[in-house]
């Protein structure tokens, strides 16, 4: 589940390997995710040397007891680690790349172990787990004990039509303004990089005196913009699925335009929705699917989110109304 604290849950396992004198590798799909995890690992293991590897990393010739790396960096290692943890196994570039799967297994010592982490595991792994062939642990609730925010529908024209008419729907503007007024940081996801600049122009005209920016995989300033967004110097960030995972920003609301796009499957919608409600200080958040039509992917995403909430409630993982009142 997104925001359940999966990374923190493996810390005791990492500690046991380190206490035995072993080496640990934690692999994540993208540089953004690696940079997000690095301070969390350093804080959790202050006496260990944490080496961070990605394209152009200054640590690339260093050796540490904990190595945090993008998945392509796995190709550099052979039988080097006692434990290999693959985070976000369903994400590009690891997903559907046999070479990287081979590299992950090759980086692990003969008698070492490797672990998969994912909020939206591939169907093949879900089937193996359901059949009892894959040992697994399911985490149906977030650490703060609140249910996952269930996406709301917002019927609106497709982004292409909005850009042709050079205006955004009043209902969308009112909804975005409501999120900003309540103090939320707003992720606004679009399906295509080419939509970012023209949407930015329309948003800046419609919502005055609010710092609004956009970023994508081709933006050289992406890291600094994400940091500014986290620091509330930017209040609304228009982006693509490059930020669908691995980024935690307190008190966030999520809007997904063209949520009916063929580029947004069920997993992508769940991951984007998972940016909301991650903070214990704002666990409800808001998630809005904006689209002219309702698709199977949207229905499946909502159904899965509701199912996880039911499992969590039935298992007693959600806090009671009285506990929430007394908090």
């Amino acid at each position: 589940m997104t925001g359940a604290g999966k990374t923190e849950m493996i810390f005791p396992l990492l500690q046991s390997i380190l206490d035995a004198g072993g080496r640990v590798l934690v692999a994540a799909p993208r540089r953004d995710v690696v940079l997000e995890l690095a301070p969390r690992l350093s804080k959790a293991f202050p006496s260990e040397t944490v080496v961070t590897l990605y394209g152009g990393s200054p640590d690339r010739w260093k050796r540490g007891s904990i190595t945090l790396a993008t998945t392509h960096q796995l190709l550099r290692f052979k039988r080097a680690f006692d434990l290999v943890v693959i985070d976000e196994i369903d994400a590009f570039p690891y997903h559907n790349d046999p070479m990287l799967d081979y590299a992950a297994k090759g980086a692990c010592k003969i008698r070492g172990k490797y672990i998969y982490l994912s909020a939206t595991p591939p169907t093949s792994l879900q089937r193996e787990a359901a059949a009892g062939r894959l040992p697994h642990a399911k985490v149906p609730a977030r650490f703060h004990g609140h249910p996952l925010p269930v996406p709301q529908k917002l019927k609106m024209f497709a982004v292409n039509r909005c850009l042709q008419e050079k205006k955004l729907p009043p209902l969308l503007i009112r909804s975005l303004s409501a999120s900003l007024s309540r103090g939320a940081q707003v992720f606004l996801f679009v399906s295509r990089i080419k939509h970012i600049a023209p949407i930015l122009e329309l948003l800046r005209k419609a919502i005055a005196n609010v710092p609004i920016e956009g970023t994508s995989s081709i933006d050289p300033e992406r890291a600094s913009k994400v940091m500014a967004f986290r620091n509330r110097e930017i209040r609304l960030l228009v982006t693509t699925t490059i930020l669908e995972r691995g980024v935690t920003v307190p008190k966030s609301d999520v809007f997904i335009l063209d949520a009916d796009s063929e580029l947004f499957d069920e997993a992508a919608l769940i991951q984007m929705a998972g940016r909301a409600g991650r903070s214990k200080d704002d666990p409800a958040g808001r998630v809005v699917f904006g689209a002219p039509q309702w698709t199977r992917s949207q229905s499946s995403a909502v159904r899965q989110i509701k199912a996880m909430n039911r499992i969590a409630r039935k298992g007693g993982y959600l806090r009671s109304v009285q506990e929430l009142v007394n908090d």
Side-chain angles (χ1 to χ4, degrees):
M1 175 198 298
T2 58
K6 294 181 294 298
T7 305
E8 280 70 15
M9 288 177 189
I10 65 168
F11 285 176
L13 176 59
L14 269 59
Q15 189 66 64
S16 69
I17 300 294
L18 296 167
D19 289 344
R23 293 179 67 200
V24 171
L25 170 68
V26 179
R30 293 195 284 260
R31 182 174 180 268
D32 308 71
V33 182
V34 165
L35 293 175
E36 176 87 13
L37 290 176
R40 288 156 63 183
L41 282 170
S42 296
K43 183 179 179 180
F45 301 97
S47 61
E48 303 291 340
T49 302
V50 179
V51 173
T52 305
L53 301 178
Y54 51 85
S57 166
D59 290 354
R60 59 187 177 276
W61 305 118
K62 295 181 181 178
R63 177 187 171 95
S65 51
I66 301 175
T67 298
L68 175 61
T70 52
T71 45
H72 276 112
Q73 298 293 322
L74 300 177
L75 295 165
R76 298 177 52 182
F77 300 101
K78 186 170 181 62
R79 307 298 179 208
F81 300 96
D82 299 274
L83 174 67
V84 174
V85 179
I86 308 295
D87 197 8
E88 308 286 8
I89 57 167
D90 57 304
F92 175 85
Y94 190 86
H95 183 46
N96 283 337
D97 190 332
M99 178 187 70
L100 292 180
D101 186 53
Y102 177 82
K105 291 169 182 172
C108 196
K109 292 180 180 178
I110 296 295
R111 295 188 179 179
K113 302 292 182 183
Y114 60 93
I115 294 174
Y116 295 140
L117 297 179
S118 178
T120 49
T123 304
S124 59
L125 290 185
Q126 291 185 43
R127 282 197 296 263
E128 284 191 52
R133 294 190 297 270
L134 181 68
H136 67 284
K138 183 181 288 187
V139 185
R142 285 175 167 168
F143 70 95
H144 50 55
H146 291 257
L148 296 166
V150 177
Q152 308 161 6
K153 296 181 184 180
L154 191 157
K155 191 164 186 178
M156 58 174 283
F157 294 136
V159 168
N160 273 334
R161 180 166 173 180
C162 294
L163 297 182
Q164 288 169 3
E165 297 182 358
K166 296 187 177 180
K167 65 178 181 181
L168 296 171
L171 183 57
L172 173 64
I173 297 302
R174 286 198 297 271
S175 195
L176 289 169
S177 298
S179 286
L180 293 165
S181 295
R182 81 174 191 86
Q185 294 294 100
V186 178
F187 285 92
L188 193 150
F189 288 97
V190 295
S191 61
R192 290 172 169 80
I193 293 174
K194 67 180 183 180
H195 290 160
I196 293 176
I199 286 229
L200 271 177
E201 185 179 349
L202 295 178
L203 283 169
R204 286 169 175 160
K205 288 178 181 177
I207 306 175
N209 303 316
V210 172
I212 302 172
E213 284 294 344
T215 192
S216 70
S217 59
I218 62 173
D219 182 3
E221 298 179 6
R222 184 171 81 244
S224 61
K225 286 179 182 177
V226 170
M227 185 60 68
F229 184 57
R230 188 178 281 114
N231 294 336
R232 299 179 65 83
E233 295 159 18
I234 295 170
R235 294 292 315 285
L236 192 159
L237 187 62
V238 183
T239 187
T240 59
T241 53
I242 191 69
L243 295 186
E244 74 177 13
R245 61 183 77 222
V247 177
T248 297
V249 177
K251 199 171 186 178
S252 289
D253 285 354
V254 171
F255 288 74
I256 304 169
L257 304 191
D258 283 348
D260 58 342
S261 169
E262 70 280 0
L263 299 177
F264 293 155
D265 61 11
E266 174 189 346
L269 291 170
I270 290 172
Q271 288 286 354
M272 289 184 283
R275 300 312 97 203
R278 299 169 77 88
S279 166
K280 65 181 176 60
D281 297 321
D282 188 55
R286 291 179 68 210
V287 179
V288 176
F289 287 173
Q293 61 183 347
W294 194 250
T295 61
R296 179 179 296 178
S297 291
Q298 292 175 83
S299 295
S300 297
V302 170
R303 187 164 55 249
Q304 187 172 149
I305 289 169
K306 288 181 175 179
M308 295 303 283
N309 285 339
R310 282 197 302 273
I311 294 170
R313 190 170 287 110
K314 185 176 180 180
Y317 301 118
L318 299 184
R319 301 170 71 187
S320 67
V321 173
Q322 190 59 48
E323 286 178 312
L324 298 176
V325 169
N326 293 338
D327 193 6

